[in-house]
Amino acid sequence: MSLDQPIGDYLSYLEFERAYSPNTVRAYASDLANLTAFAREQQADELSLEMLRDWLWEASNSGLSKSTLARRSATAKSFSAWLVRTKREPSDAAARLRAPRADRSLPRVLTSQSMNEVFALLAERAAEGDPIALRDHAIVELLYASALRVSELVGIDPADIDHDRRTVLVTGKGSKQRVVPFGTPAQDAVIAYQRLGRPQLALRAAQPATTTALFLNTRGTRLGTRSVYSLVASLLQRFPGSGPEGPHAFRHTAATHLLDGGADLRAVQEMLGHSSLGTTQIYTHVTTERLRQTYLSAHPRA
């Protein structure tokens, strides 16, 4: 059985028709490459439910996590369904494929006091007028104010910012665009960066006139996601806690603080750009866990 050509066509479909991100396409490619290698080892002559179950069973025995098994199952189901839709296969071999439900850990969330300490530190650095400090202050303010994904943040152009309405146009997963609000502190930080910091960074570009990104690196070109990860990780080291030390921590924190403040769940879903309300509901678990911990520590009959 040769899957090389169908897999290549499928990955092109994900990239160009579904507009999946490069990271997502690479994950699908990795799973399907592993499936192809397994099929060759088993000398399988067709994509069957039994073969797919054996593939997941072997992966489970090798110690892969439930989340990885769930992702591989989802990849196989999506690929198999596409084979049927494109008439490459007569039936969907993965229609009844099941994998263990992925463990869902609660996201890392900072307290309001911790966020205030982060902003005080960044504001103090930015007050000296250094363009990088001004940029970093604007980045974190906007990440938290608008609960953005890091890929959405680095994709922003100056024209996407509407200071009159205090909104930003961002492009999320699947190239879906949405307009997200931000507050006065974020606006002040962004304006200071645009007036004093960005012009200095833009001068470092080989061709300054062609620089369209809002957030620039030290070479005057569009800032990458790794730089934002490094910035956030350095800030979060000051606050011990479980969970990854990446930009998503500020997105999680913003969503949780919105719900703590009484925001409607569907409004938060729209702000985050979640296609499913179920994805947003994890933040209700965070607020419930906080309530439980408060109860256990404060109620006399807990």
Side-chain angles (χ1 to χ4, degrees), residues 156-169:
I156 296 173
D157 292 337
D160 297 328
I161 300 286
D162 186 335
H163 284 294
D164 291 334
R165 293 182 172 84
R166 289 209 301 269
T167 60
V168 55
L169 174 66

Side-chain angles (χ1 to χ4, degrees), residues 203-218:
L203 289 175
R204 303 179 186 181
Q207 296 178 308
T210 64
T211 301
T212 61
L214 174 62
F215 294 112
L216 306 178
N217 57 29
T218 55

